[in-house]
Amino acid sequence: ASINLSGDGITVNGVAAEYDASASVYLENKTESHPDIAEEYKDVSNTVINITDAGTYTISGAREDTQILVSAGDKDEVKLVFDGVDLSCKTAPAVLIKSAKESGKGGEAAVTIWLNEGSENKISGSHIARVNDED
């Protein structure tokens, strides 16, 4: 799949991405509320690009206050290809791997990240994600 980022929106394979959790790539808005958020950013709403299925996702373009979140199944191999990405997220990690195919190392999720040759990529997030699950 090809994901293009811009200030006007996000497209997947040339079609505007939607807020439809049944799609393999869908959007949601999220405002972080944990103590690591600076007071000046308490009301910042992030666009979260959820990737939930196996596949290769080529990502290009620029966007602020946006996070890429991989939450695929434990047998799903996910490959992210950054091709001229300028991504920032002031209140959360810009790229967060929650789950994907197990790497074979004690429950770590395995996602391959590639940088396209000749592309310049800039990714900045605010902090390491906190995991508060009892599991």
Side-chain angles (χ1 to χ4, degrees):
S2 175
I3 301 172
N4 186 269
L5 314 172
S6 77
D8 294 330
I10 298 167
T11 60
V12 178
N13 296 329
V15 177
E18 297 184 7
Y19 295 84
D20 176 4
S22 66
S24 60
V25 178
Y26 71 94
L27 304 180
E28 69 178 312
N29 288 324
K30 183 174 183 183
T31 302
E32 300 288 337
S33 61
H34 52 79
D36 292 334
I37 303 302
E39 191 63 36
E40 65 199 84
Y41 300 134
K42 292 283 185 193
D43 296 326
V44 171
S45 178
N46 296 321
T47 300
V48 179
I49 303 167
N50 290 280
I51 297 174
T52 61
D53 288 333
T56 299
Y57 300 88
T58 301
I59 304 162
S60 61
R63 190 158 169 102
E64 293 181 358
D65 301 322
T66 300
Q67 177 185 64
I68 297 169
L69 172 64
V70 177
S71 55
D74 63 2
K75 295 189 184 340
D76 290 339
E77 291 186 43
V78 176
K79 180 177 174 182
L80 302 178
V81 180
F82 294 130
D83 187 18
V85 172
D86 186 349
L87 178 69
S88 67
C89 192
K90 293 181 204 87
T91 62
V95 178
L96 179 60
I97 311 302
K98 186 175 179 182
S99 60
K101 182 177 179 179
E102 293 295 325
S103 69
K105 294 183 180 178
E108 294 177 5
V111 172
T112 304
I113 297 177
W114 287 81
L115 305 177
N116 256 1
E117 188 172 337
S119 70
E120 185 173 321
N121 300 279
K122 180 181 176 186
I123 299 172
S124 62
S126 71
H127 61 278
I128 296 172
R130 288 182 183 227
V131 177
N132 296 321
D133 295 339
E134 300 254 339
D135 297 340

